[in-house]
C-alpha cells in the first residue's frame, strides 16, 4: 500500500508542476484550453492527495508497522482515535495534511474565481499549484510519510503522550486551516497584480478568504492555549514559546489586513499597503511552518543542518522576492486615489491600528528569532523570555484596545471636536467610572485598572452602536427590540459581526488581564489530612493512590476543596508516568467558574504518602474561552453573504463617498 | 497488480487532464467553424446561394 501512497504523491507533484506551466503558458496570450487543463490538474492533485491520505490513514488505523511513520507514531496500547490524530502528530503526516488542505482550498478558490473573475484564473491556479508543488516535493523527496521498514516490529513507539489529548486532536488541523488559508488571498492578490487587473480589486476579493483564515488561526490559537492550560500543567495558557509566536505573527498581520482593507474599500486608499500585508501574512505562514518543522526550535544548532529548514527558507525567499517584486512593479497602479483629509478621521485611526499591529508582529518576530540572530552575529545564543514580550506587547495591546473603541465611532474623512464629544462622552465616562470603581474596590495594579477601564470604554461604544441602531429601526419600522436587533445585524453583517468579534476580543483581553495580574499561587507539602489555604479556597489532602491505566502508572492525589465553609467537592490531581520511556503528563485538578479557576498540580509525592501541591487561583480564565465563543458568533455573522450588493469597488466609490459612518 | 492499477490510473488521469488540449487542437470541420457557409449550389427548386447546411431546398419553415 505504501507504493500506492507514493504513487499518489508523485503523480500529484507531476500534475502540480504541469499546472504551473499550463497556467503560465495559458495566461498570455490567452489560451483557454491550457487554463482549462490546468484547472483539471488542480482537481486531480486533490484527488491523488486524498488517495495518499487514505493510504496513510488506513495504515495508521490498521497499525501497519511496515510504515516507518506508523512505527514512530502508533502503538498497540494507544486509543484508536489517537491512531488517527497521529496523522498530524509527526512531521511527514503534518506536511501531508498541509498539502491536503491546500488542495481543498485550491479547488474552492478556482471554482469561485472561475465564476466571478475568470481573468484571474491562470494566476490563482499558478500560485496554488506552485505552493502545492513545493509541499509535494517535500513529501516525495525529503520527508515521505510512505517510507517503509524492512523488518516491521510487533509494536510501535506511539505518539508523544503530551499529544494524547482531545484539544491536541483539533488544535493542529484548525491552525493549519488558518495557516494554509492564507495562501488563497495571496494567490488572488498575486494573480490580480500579475494580470494588471488592479481595477478588479484582487485585494478586496481576498478579504472574505482572509476572514476565514483569520478565524481559523484565532480558533487554532485558542485550542492551543486550552491544551497548554489543561495538559502541560504549568498553570498558564501562553508562554511566548516560538511555536505559539509562529502562529501569532500571521494572525497579527491578517488582523491588520482586515482593518486596512476597509479603508481601501471605502476610500480607495492603502492599496499598496494592503497588498503588502497579504504577501507578508502568507510569508509568515510559511515562516511559521518552517519554524515548527525545521528543528530550529527543538535545537537551535540544527538550524543549518536540517535539510527541511533549508528547503523552507529557500522557498520562502523565492516566493517573497517574487511577490514583493510584483508589488513593486504595480506600485503606481496601486497608488491611493485619495489622500488623508484630516488627522482626526477614521482613516487615521485605522492607519494607526495597522502600524501598531505591524509593530507588535515585528516585536514578536524579533523576540522569536533573536537567539538565531545573536548566535549568527556574536556566536553566543541569547534568549529573550516572556518578560521581554510582556513589556513590549502589553502597552501596544492597550493602545490597540483604545483604538478598538475609537475607530468605529469616529467619522470618515474628517471629524470635528464636537463629533468626538458627542460620540465619546458616554463611553468615555463609562470607562472612567469603571476604573474609579476598581480603584475604590482596592485594586492597585495600574496596568490592570487601565486595561479594565479601556474594556469598559470599548464595551460601551459597542453597546451604544447597537442601541442607536435598534432605536432607529424601532422608530421607523415599529419592530420589537429583538426583531429590530436581528434586522439590524442582518442588514449589515460585516459591520455588526465585526462588533461582536470585538466583544469576543474584549472578553479575551479581560480574561488575560485578570489571570496574568491577579493570579495567586502557593506550593505546599502536605501529609494526609493537612490543608492549604490559597485566596478564599482551602484544599484538604486526603492521600495518594496509584493505578496502571493505558500503559502508564497514574499517581493521583485525592483532594477536597472548600470555599469558606462551602464544600466544593472532591478533586483529583494526577501524574501519568508512562511505563515505556521516561515521558510523563499531568492531569491538573481544575474547578472553573466565571470568577476564577482553582487549579491544582501534583508536583511531587513520597512513599510515606506525602504530596507537594502547587495550587493556583487564576481569575477570569473562563472569560478567555467565552470570548472565543462570542468571537465565533461574530465571525460567522461577518462571513455570511451580504443580502445587498457589496459596495462598489473602491475606485468607483472614491469620489462619491461623502457620508459618515461605517 | 498494484503496478497495473497505478499505470491505468495514471493513464486515466493524464487523459482527463489533457482532454481540453486535445479538443482544442483537434481538426475542426471547416464548415462548422465560425458559421462557415456551404458554397454548394442549391438544388433545383429553390433556396438561395449561401444557405446554411441542412436547410431544405426552398428554405426552412
Amino acid at each position: 500500500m505504501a507504493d500506492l501512497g507514493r504513487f499518489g504523491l508523485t503523480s500529484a507533484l507531476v500534475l502540480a508542476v504541469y499546472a504551473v506551466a499550463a497556467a503560465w503558458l495559458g495566461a498570455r496570450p490567452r489560451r483557454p484550453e491550457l487554463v482549462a487543463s490546468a484547472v483539471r490538474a488542480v482537481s486531480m492533485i486533490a484527488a491523488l492527495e486524498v488517495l495518499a491520505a487514505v493510504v496513510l490513514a488506513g495504515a495508521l488505523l490498521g497499525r501497519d508497522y511496515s510504515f516507518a511513520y506508523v512505527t514512530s507514531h502508533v502503538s498497540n496500547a494507544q486509543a484508536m482515535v489517537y491512531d488517527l490524530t497521529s496523522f498530524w502528530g509527526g512531521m511527514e503526516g503534518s506536511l501531508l495534511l498541509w498539502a491536503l488542505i491546500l488542495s481543498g482550498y485550491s479547488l474552492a478558490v478556482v471554482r469561485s474565481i472561475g465564476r466571478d473573475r475568470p481573468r484571474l484564473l491562470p494566476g490563482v491556479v499558478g500560485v496554488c499549484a506552485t505552493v502545492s508543488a513545493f509541499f509535494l516535493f517535500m513529501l516525495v523527496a525529503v520527508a515521505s510519510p510512505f517510507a517503509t521498514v524492512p523488518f516491521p516490529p510487533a509494536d510501535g513507539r506511539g505518539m508523544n503522550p503530551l499529544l494524547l489529548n482531545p484539544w491536541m486532536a483539533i488544535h493542529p488541523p484548525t491552525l493549519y486551516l488558518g495557516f494554509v488559508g492564507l495562501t488563497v488571498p495571496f494567490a488572488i492578490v498575486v494573480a490580480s497584480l500579475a494580470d494588471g487587473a488592479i481595477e478588479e480589486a484582487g485585494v478586496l476579493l481576498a478579504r472574505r478568504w482572509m476572514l476565514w483564515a483569520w478565524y481559523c488561526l484565532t480558533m487554532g490559537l485558542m485550542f492551543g492555549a486550552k491544551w497548554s492550560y489543561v495538559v502541560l500543567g504549568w498553570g498558564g495558557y501562553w508562554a511566548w514559546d516560538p511555536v505559539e509566536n509562529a502562529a501569532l505573527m500571521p494572525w497579527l498581520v491578517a488582523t491588520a489586513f482586515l482593518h486596512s482593507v476597509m479603508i481601501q474599500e471605502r476610500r480607495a486608499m492603502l492599496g499598496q499597503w494592503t497588498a503588502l500585508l497579504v504577501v507578508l501574512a502568507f510569508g509568515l505562514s510559511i515562516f511559521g511552518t518552517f519554524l515548527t518543522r525545521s528543528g530550529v526550535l527543538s535545537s537551535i544548532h540544527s538550524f543549518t543542518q536540517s535539510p527541511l529548514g533549508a528547503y523552507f527558507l529557500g522557498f520562502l525567499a523565492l516566493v517573497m522576492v517574487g511577490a514583493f517584486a510584483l508589488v513593486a512593479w504595480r506600485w503606481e497602479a496601486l497608488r491611493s486615489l485619495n489622500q488623508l483629509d484630516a488627522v482626526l478621521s477614521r482613516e487615521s485611526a485605522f492607519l494607526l491600528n495597522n502600524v501598531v499591529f505591524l509593530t507588535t508582529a515585528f516585536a514578536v518576530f524579533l523576540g522569536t528569532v533573536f537567539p538565531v540572530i545573536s548566535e549568527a552575529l556574536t556566536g553566543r545564543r541569547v534568549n529573550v523570555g516572556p518578560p521581554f514580550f510582556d513589556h513590549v506587547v502589553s502597552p501596544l495591546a492597550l493602545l490597540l484596545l483604545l483604538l478598538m473603541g475609537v475607530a468605529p465611532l469616529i467619522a470618515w474623512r474628517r471629524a470635528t471636536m464636537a463629533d468626538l464629544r458627542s460620540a465619546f462622552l458616554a463611553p468615555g465616562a463609562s470607562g472612567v467610572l469603571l476604573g474609579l470603581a476598581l480603584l475604590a474596590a482596592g485594586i492597585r495594579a495600574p496596568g490592570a485598572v487601565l486595561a479594565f477601564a479601556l474594556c469598559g470604554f470599548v464595551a460601551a461604544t459597542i453597546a451604544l452602536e447597537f442601541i442607536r441602531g435598534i432605536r432607529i429601526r424601532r422608530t421607523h419600522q415599529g419592530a420589537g427590540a429583538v426583531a429590530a436587533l436581528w434586522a439590524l445585524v442582518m442588514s449589515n453583517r460585516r459591520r455588526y459581526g465585526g462588533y461582536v468579534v470585538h466583544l469576543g476580543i474584549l472578553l479575551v483581553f479581560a480574561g488575560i488581564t485578570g489571570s496574568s495580574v491577579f493570579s495567586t499561587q502557593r506550593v505546599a507539602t502536605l501529609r494526609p489530612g493537612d490543608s492549604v489555604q490559597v485566596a478564599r479556597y482551602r484544599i484538604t489532602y486526603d492521600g495518594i493512590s496509584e493505578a496502571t491505566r493505558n500503559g502508564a502508572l497514574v499517581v493521583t492525589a485525592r483532594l477536597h476543596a472548600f470555599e469558606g465553609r462551602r464544600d466544593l467537592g472532591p478533586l483529583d490531581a494526577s501524574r501519568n508516568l508512562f511505563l515505556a520511556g521516561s515521558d510523563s503528563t499531568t492531569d491538573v485538578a481544575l474547578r472553573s467558574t466565571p470568577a476564577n479557576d482553582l487549579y491544582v498540580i501534583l508536583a511531587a509525592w513520597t512513599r510515606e504518602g506525602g504530596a507537594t501541591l502547587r495550587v493556583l487561583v487564576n481569575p477570569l480564565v473562563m472569560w478567555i474561552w467565552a470570548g472565543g465563543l462570542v468571537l465565533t458568533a461574530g465571525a460567522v455573522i461577518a462571513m455570511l453573504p451580504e443580502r445587498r450588493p457589496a459596495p462598489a469597488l473602491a475606485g468607483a466609490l472614491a469620489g462619491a463617498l461623502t457620508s459618515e459612518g461605517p | 497488480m498494484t503496478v497495473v492499477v497505478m499505470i491505468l490510473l495514471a493513464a486515466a488521469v493524464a487523459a482527463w487532464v489533457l482532454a481540453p488540449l486535445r479538443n482544442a487542437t483537434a481538426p475542426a470541420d471547416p464548415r462548422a467553424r465560425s458559421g462557415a457557409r456551404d458554397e454548394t449550389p442549391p438544388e433545383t427548386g429553390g433556396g438561395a446561394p449561401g444557405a446554411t447546411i441542412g436547410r431544405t431546398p426552398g428554405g426552412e419553415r
Side-chain angles (χ1 to χ4, degrees):
Chain A
M1 290 303 275
D3 287 338
L4 200 58
R6 272 193 291 268
F7 162 77
L9 292 181
T10 311
S11 312
L13 173 60
V14 172
L15 281 177
V17 173
Y18 168 76
V20 174
W24 178 266
L25 293 171
R28 277 168 199 275
R30 295 275 165 194
R31 291 185 60 188
E33 71 277 8
L34 270 173
V35 179
S37 177
V39 168
R40 286 189 172 208
V42 168
S43 303
M44 273 299 126
I45 292 168
L48 289 163
E49 285 181 2
V50 167
L51 172 70
V54 167
V55 169
L56 184 63
L60 290 165
L61 289 172
R63 293 178 179 162
D64 182 348
Y65 294 120
S66 66
F67 286 66
Y69 188 80
V70 178
T71 307
S72 304
H73 298 93
V74 169
S75 72
N76 294 341
Q78 197 164 283
M80 194 65 99
V81 63
Y82 294 119
D83 288 352
L84 192 60
T85 63
S86 60
F87 192 111
W88 49 86
M91 185 171 67
E92 296 86 354
S94 66
L95 283 177
L96 179 54
L97 182 66
W98 223 105
L100 194 65
I101 292 175
L102 179 59
S103 66
Y105 275 132
S106 301
L107 276 180
V109 70
V110 161
R111 181 179 283 259
S112 147
I113 288 289
R115 189 182 56 231
D116 299 338
R117 294 283 192 282
R119 273 186 72 176
L120 302 183
L121 199 53
V124 168
V125 169
V127 174
C128 288
T130 302
V131 182
S132 279
F134 169 71
F135 276 88
L136 285 164
F137 169 74
M138 300 297 284
L139 284 162
V140 169
V142 186
S144 172
F146 298 111
T148 49
V149 292
F151 304 105
D155 197 359
R157 289 195 289 277
M159 260 214 295
N160 181 340
L162 287 173
L163 305 182
L164 302 176
N165 179 271
W167 292 108
M168 198 32 93
I170 57 169
H171 161 64
T174 317
L175 202 59
Y176 275 33
L177 279 172
F179 262 153
V180 186
L182 294 173
T183 310
V184 178
F186 175 72
I188 294 173
V189 166
V190 165
S192 62
L193 291 174
D195 187 78
I198 311 300
E199 75 282 1
E200 295 212 27
V203 173
L204 301 182
L205 275 176
R207 190 197 67 87
R208 189 178 291 274
W209 293 95
M210 184 67 99
L211 183 57
W212 168 250
W214 175 89
Y215 170 68
C216 293
L217 271 179
T218 310
M219 294 321 288
L221 285 166
M222 283 268 180
F223 294 151
K226 184 78 180 176
W227 169 78
S228 175
Y229 190 61
V230 299
V231 175
L232 292 188
W234 61 283
Y237 43 80
W238 189 265
W240 295 111
D241 181 89
V243 181
E244 298 168 348
N245 297 347
L248 181 64
M249 287 184 280
W251 183 87
L252 289 165
V253 176
T255 314
F257 167 86
L258 290 174
H259 290 90
S260 70
V261 77
M262 284 188 248
I263 304 284
Q264 191 182 5
E265 200 170 4
R266 297 296 299 257
R267 296 295 323 278
M269 293 166 67
L270 303 184
Q272 299 152 334
W273 173 258
T274 314
L276 285 174
L277 287 180
V278 173
V279 172
L280 197 58
F282 172 72
L284 285 170
S285 78
I286 298 291
F287 180 72
T289 314
F290 153 73
L291 268 188
T292 49
R293 297 288 159 220
S294 62
V296 65
L297 299 178
S298 52
S299 167
I300 208 82
H301 300 288
S302 67
F303 178 59
T304 48
Q305 284 96 42
S306 165
L308 207 69
Y311 284 114
F312 266 101
L313 272 191
F315 177 68
L316 180 63
L318 207 67
V319 170
M320 287 298 98
V321 166
F324 283 124
L326 206 52
V327 175
W329 181 37
R330 298 293 189 188
W331 195 251
E332 280 309 309
L334 286 168
R335 190 172 284 284
S336 300
L337 297 176
N338 292 305
Q339 298 295 318
L340 202 61
D341 292 322
V343 174
L344 272 182
S345 63
R346 186 175 299 188
E347 293 90 319
S348 299
F350 274 48
L351 197 58
L352 185 57
N353 147 305
N354 262 241
V355 170
V356 179
F357 269 117
L358 264 280
T359 307
T360 311
F362 181 70
V364 174
F365 176 81
L366 200 61
T368 307
V369 301
F370 196 76
V372 181
I373 295 173
S374 67
E375 190 171 42
L377 293 180
T378 65
R380 206 161 51 89
R381 184 182 160 196
V382 180
N383 282 309
V384 293
F388 163 80
F389 292 104
D390 289 342
H391 279 102
V392 174
V393 173
S394 299
L396 294 169
L398 286 173
L399 187 52
L400 283 172
L401 196 56
L402 175 69
L403 288 170
M404 196 198 289
V406 170
L409 293 194
I410 198 167
W412 289 102
R413 304 194 73 168
R414 186 184 299 276
T416 63
M417 287 310 287
D419 294 335
L420 295 185
R421 260 196 303 277
S422 76
F424 292 113
L425 189 63
S430 306
V432 170
L433 281 176
L434 181 60
L436 290 174
L438 291 172
L439 286 172
I443 292 173
R444 291 289 177 268
V449 172
L450 181 60
F452 284 125
L454 284 172
C455 284
F457 162 67
V458 180
T461 61
I462 296 170
L464 275 181
E465 277 294 280
F466 275 97
I467 291 167
R468 200 176 295 148
I470 290 170
R471 193 178 291 156
I472 290 169
R473 287 207 166 247
R474 292 192 71 178
T475 308
H476 288 89
Q477 297 171 358
V482 176
L485 173 65
W486 177 257
L488 179 74
V489 172
M490 288 299 119
S491 68
N492 196 337
R493 295 162 193 184
R494 278 175 59 186
R495 175 178 170 181
Y496 289 97
Y499 287 148
V500 176
V501 168
H502 280 185
L503 272 180
I505 298 280
L506 275 189
L507 286 171
V508 172
F509 208 95
I512 292 172
T513 306
S515 55
S516 32
V517 178
F518 301 110
S519 177
T520 50
Q521 67 165 305
R522 196 167 160 194
V523 178
T525 301
L526 307 175
R527 285 173 303 182
D530 287 352
S531 294
V532 59
Q533 184 83 29
V534 182
R536 53 178 203 265
Y537 294 100
R538 183 164 55 86
I539 305 293
T540 302
Y541 171 55
D542 295 334
I544 209 136
S545 63
E546 292 184 356
T548 306
R549 204 163 48 230
N550 298 333
L553 175 68
V554 183
V555 182
T556 304
R558 298 187 310 277
L559 312 167
H560 216 99
F562 299 88
E563 186 179 11
R565 289 187 175 179
R566 195 156 69 95
D567 185 349
L568 300 178
L571 289 173
D572 285 346
S574 306
R575 289 289 289 274
N576 307 304
L577 308 170
F578 286 84
L579 303 173
S582 55
D583 293 317
S584 74
T585 59
T586 307
D587 288 336
V588 296
L590 183 60
R591 187 179 178 280
S592 291
T593 67
N596 52 43
D597 280 12
L598 176 61
Y599 186 105
V600 188
I601 306 158
L602 173 61
W605 59 95
T606 64
R607 289 194 181 282
E608 291 72 39
T612 301
L613 302 176
R614 192 164 152 237
V615 185
L616 293 100
V617 177
N618 295 328
L620 307 187
V621 174
M622 198 188 267
W623 290 35
I624 299 174
W625 320 131
L629 291 177
V630 174
L631 195 146
T632 297
V636 167
I637 293 169
M639 280 187 279
L640 287 172
E642 290 285 347
R643 211 177 285 160
R644 65 183 185 193
L649 297 178
L653 273 170
L657 274 168
T658 49
S659 63
E660 292 178 353
Chain B
M1 179 63 186
T2 313
V3 174
V4 173
V5 170
M6 287 192 290
I7 290 171
L8 289 175
L9 202 56
V13 167
W16 189 72
V17 169
L18 297 175
L21 304 184
R22 202 177 55 243
N23 294 342
T25 52
D29 182 348
R31 295 171 302 177
R33 199 192 300 165
S34 63
R37 285 161 182 265
D38 184 8
E39 296 301 329
T40 313
E43 287 180 37
T44 312
T52 51
I53 299 167
R55 284 196 173 178
T56 52
E60 203 171 45
R61 290 186 189 280

